[in-house]
Amino acid sequence: MKDPQFDIWIDWLNSSNWRAFEDGFQCLMQSIDQHVEFIVPLMLNEESPDMRAKYIELIGYASGKQYIPLLAEELKSIHRDVRAWAYVMLHDKEFAEAKAIVARFESEHPSEDFLAG
């Protein structure tokens, strides 16, 4: 169930005020498993690479492995920050599927400046 504050937190996340952004991000991150299903469509429809990357980071905090394919797809983005956040969030997952995706990405894209390797 979506928290009644969800839309406010999303507004804060989109704010140019860094304090509002941080408050929105923290509120969403702390309740990510409750809200990830509402964040995914926002991310998929987001045209701003900066905002898309923020949504990807949030999605990456969701528990479970159901969003691993979604994050893997974002590794194909033409935008560095989108790829970087997808990579970081997959890298931090403790699932074999995520580790395999990260290893393949590192092997195929060794020149990316954000690789943890």
Side-chain angles (χ1 to χ4, degrees):
M1 184 169 78
K2 184 166 42 168
D3 189 296
Q5 295 288 99
F6 178 81
D7 292 330
I8 293 169
W9 297 337
I10 292 295
D11 285 344
W12 291 350
L13 191 67
N14 283 288
S15 173
S16 60
N17 177 303
W18 69 269
R19 287 185 186 168
F21 164 78
E22 284 297 330
D23 287 346
F25 191 91
Q26 290 302 314
C27 290
L28 289 163
M29 188 177 73
Q30 291 171 7
S31 60
I32 192 60
D33 287 331
Q34 177 185 352
H35 295 108
V36 67
E37 69 182 286
F38 306 109
I39 293 172
V40 168
L42 295 174
M43 186 277 293
L44 291 172
N45 291 317
E46 183 58 57
E47 293 183 16
S48 162
D50 182 52
M51 200 60 224
R52 191 172 182 109
K54 292 172 185 172
Y55 287 138
I56 289 167
E57 183 180 3
L58 283 167
I59 293 166
Y61 285 117
S63 61
K65 50 183 166 178
Q66 68 204 52
Y67 297 103
I68 290 174
L70 178 71
L71 295 172
E73 190 63 28
E74 294 302 306
L75 291 172
K76 299 174 186 175
S77 174
I78 62 170
H79 302 286
R80 180 207 176 273
D81 287 347
V82 170
R83 290 191 315 276
W85 276 111
Y87 171 84
V88 166
M89 299 320 288
L90 284 165
H91 185 272
D92 290 348
K93 293 281 187 195
E94 293 299 326
F95 298 106
E97 297 91 329
K99 298 297 181 196
I101 291 166
V102 165
R104 186 173 58 248
F105 184 81
E106 289 173 344
S107 171
E108 293 173 358
H109 304 278
S111 62
E112 290 280 20
D113 65 344
F114 51 78
L115 299 180

